[in-house]
Amino acid sequence: MENLVSIFLFGKEYKVPDNLTIMSAMEYAGYQLKRGCGCRNGFCGACATLYRIKGQSELKACLACGTKVEDNMYIATLPFFPLVKKVYDIEKIPATQQIMMQLYPEIYACVGCNACTKVCPQELNVMQYIAYAQRGDFKKCAEESFDCVMCGCCSTRCPAGISHPQVAMLARRINGKYLAPKSAHLADRVQEIKDGTFEELIEALMDKPLDEIKELYNNREIEK
C-alpha cells in the first residue's frame, strides 16, 4: 500500500502518495491544471509555489514540478506575479548603463537585504546579478542569471519592488545582441532550417512510434 501524507491545497486537506511532486499531487487530488503547470519534465518557472510545513514558521518558495510533497504541507500556487515589463526595441537601445537607469530605475533602490537570493528556487545569486545590472555589466548579469526561469518568486519578497527576472532578461538580450561573439555555425544551421534541409528527416522521425523516439533520444550523440 502506498505511503500517504497529508497536504493542504488552498486550505483543504488531501491524502496523497509521498513520492509525488506537488504538481502531481494536485492532479491526484483532482485539480485540473490548465495554467502554470510548466512542461512536466523539467522546470519552466510557471509553477511557482509557496508552502509552509505545519509547526514551522518559515514560508518557502519552490517550483511545483520539481518539489516532492511532505507531510502537513500547506500549499498555495503562484501562477502569476505582476512583474514590471518595460517595452523597448532591442534593435535601438544602447548597450550602456543608462538603459537600465531609464527602464528599471528601481534597481538602484535595492537595500541589499538579499531576500531575493534566499527565496530563489534555482538558488541563483539574484542580488549579485542585480548589482551587475546596476553597474551596466550586462555580460556578468547575463551569466549569473542564465538559469532564471522567470517564476517571479524573487520579486514577491523585494521591498524595493524590483522585477528581477525582467532586468535579467534585458541584460541577456543586450549581451546576446551586442556583446557576445557571433555564432557562425548557428547562423548556418538556421539557414539550413529555412531552406528545408531537415524536413524529410523530421517527417520520418514523426512517423516513428513513441518508444522508438524515446530510445533515439536517450542514446543520442551529445556534442561536446
Side-chain angles (χ1 to χ4, degrees):
M1 186 174 180
E2 293 175 309
N3 294 321
L4 301 179
V5 295
S6 292
I7 64 170
F8 297 81
L9 299 173
F10 311 106
K12 186 175 181 180
E13 183 177 8
Y14 297 89
K15 296 287 187 180
V16 301
D18 63 357
N19 61 344
L20 298 181
T21 63
I22 291 175
M23 184 182 294
S24 297
M26 290 181 67
E27 294 175 327
Y28 181 93
Y31 286 84
Q32 184 178 9
L33 301 179
K34 292 184 177 181
R35 297 186 61 187
C37 62
C39 61
R40 312 298 304 176
N41 293 310
F43 50 76
C44 74
C47 60
T49 300
L50 301 177
Y51 72 90
R52 176 180 281 133
I53 305 300
K54 185 178 181 179
Q56 300 179 14
S57 60
E58 184 180 2
L59 183 65
K60 299 180 181 180
C62 69
L63 299 179
C65 62
T67 305
K68 291 183 68 173
V69 294
E70 298 180 46
D71 195 32
N72 287 318
M73 176 185 271
Y74 286 76
I75 300 165
T77 59
L78 186 70
F80 173 77
F81 186 79
L83 300 173
V84 175
K85 183 179 180 180
K86 297 294 185 178
V87 178
Y88 50 84
D89 186 343
I90 194 65
E91 302 290 342
K92 297 178 180 179
I93 61 174
T96 63
Q97 180 184 5
Q98 282 67 35
I99 195 61
M100 279 293 181
M101 298 176 68
Q102 176 185 338
L103 294 177
Y104 295 105
E106 63 271 15
I107 66 174
Y108 298 96
C110 174
V111 297
C113 66
N114 211 30
C116 52
T117 299
K118 292 176 181 178
V119 77
C120 178
Q122 290 293 89
E123 299 184 350
L124 301 181
N125 193 340
V126 182
M127 192 174 77
Q128 180 61 67
Y129 78 61
I130 290 298
Y132 288 140
Q134 290 172 335
R135 299 197 291 268
D137 194 336
F138 301 119
K139 182 177 183 296
K140 287 185 177 180
C141 181
E143 291 173 350
E144 195 73 41
S145 68
F146 185 79
D147 286 328
C148 174
V149 293
M150 309 292 287
C151 68
C153 287
C154 50
S155 298
T156 67
R157 298 296 185 87
C158 182
I162 298 172
S163 292
H164 311 74
Q166 294 296 342
V167 172
M169 178 66 75
L170 175 57
R172 292 196 297 274
R173 285 173 172 167
I174 290 175
N175 184 61
K177 176 68 176 178
Y178 299 107
L179 307 177
K182 299 299 180 183
S183 178
H185 73 279
L186 178 59
D188 292 341
R189 181 54 55 87
V190 170
Q191 188 59 51
E192 288 176 340
I193 293 171
K194 289 181 178 180
D195 293 340
T197 305
F198 304 103
E199 286 185 6
E200 185 176 342
L201 178 62
I202 292 173
E203 289 177 0
L205 183 63
M206 292 174 66
D207 288 336
K208 293 181 181 296
L210 181 59
D211 289 341
E212 189 174 342
I213 292 175
K214 289 182 178 179
E215 185 68 21
L216 287 170
Y217 178 81
N218 291 330
N219 293 285
R220 70 195 184 281
E221 183 179 348
I222 300 176
E223 295 180 3
K224 296 181 179 180

